[in-house]
Amino acid sequence: MMMKLEQVTELLEEKGYPAKLKTFPRRVYVGSLGSFYGVSIVQNEKTGELKLSYQPLILLVGIVLLIYSFVVSFGNDDMLSALIGITAASVIANFVKSRRKKAEIEAILRDASQSK
């Protein structure tokens, strides 16, 4: 029996992953505003199969924009450049962690589907 997206959301939250079920398009986003992993889970309507997708491009674009903003604001406004620098460091750290998190989430889903 395949898991539903609601069950996946509950399972991931129990395991400590911030998961949000979105109704349109119907998918589960894993991560929060402060820790976005670039991972989303969709369910095939016909087969019920879960598909995990990984979008590191979002994180890469965010990193580039933040670094650009840091360079532009550096020297003009110390508080703004410090805030942008800290945010960029956080996004870079999330990018580095996101691959490992994707593998962990795949393992959780695989274990849950095998135990059912």
Side-chain angles (χ1 to χ4, degrees):
M1 182 178 133
M2 291 287 178
M3 292 180 70
K4 296 191 180 297
L5 289 177
E6 291 83 0
Q7 295 169 315
V8 170
T9 305
E10 290 175 17
L11 176 66
L12 289 173
E13 287 178 345
E14 287 173 7
K15 300 284 185 179
Y17 291 93
K20 303 282 186 265
L21 177 63
K22 301 294 182 180
T23 54
F24 187 79
R26 192 157 167 76
R27 63 183 59 225
V28 174
Y29 289 104
V30 182
S32 64
L33 188 60
S35 60
F36 178 68
Y37 304 131
V39 176
S40 61
I41 304 165
V42 295
Q43 187 168 28
N44 187 322
E45 292 181 15
K46 294 178 181 160
T47 64
E49 180 184 359
L50 295 174
K51 182 181 179 220
L52 191 130
S53 64
Y54 175 59
Q55 298 110 359
L57 185 62
I58 295 170
L59 294 169
L60 289 173
V61 169
I63 290 168
V64 169
L65 289 174
L66 284 168
I67 291 173
Y68 173 76
S69 297
F70 176 75
V71 169
V72 167
S73 69
F74 189 74
N76 296 336
D77 186 351
D78 291 341
M79 289 300 287
L80 180 62
S81 61
L83 180 64
I84 292 172
I86 291 168
T87 306
S90 173
V91 172
I92 291 169
N94 281 337
F95 177 71
V96 171
K97 290 189 310 186
S98 65
R99 283 196 138 150
R100 187 179 73 237
K101 294 293 184 183
K102 176 187 176 269
E104 291 173 7
I105 292 166
E106 285 176 333
I108 290 170
L109 293 177
R110 188 172 44 251
D111 291 346
S113 67
Q114 289 175 356
S115 66
K116 296 266 176 195

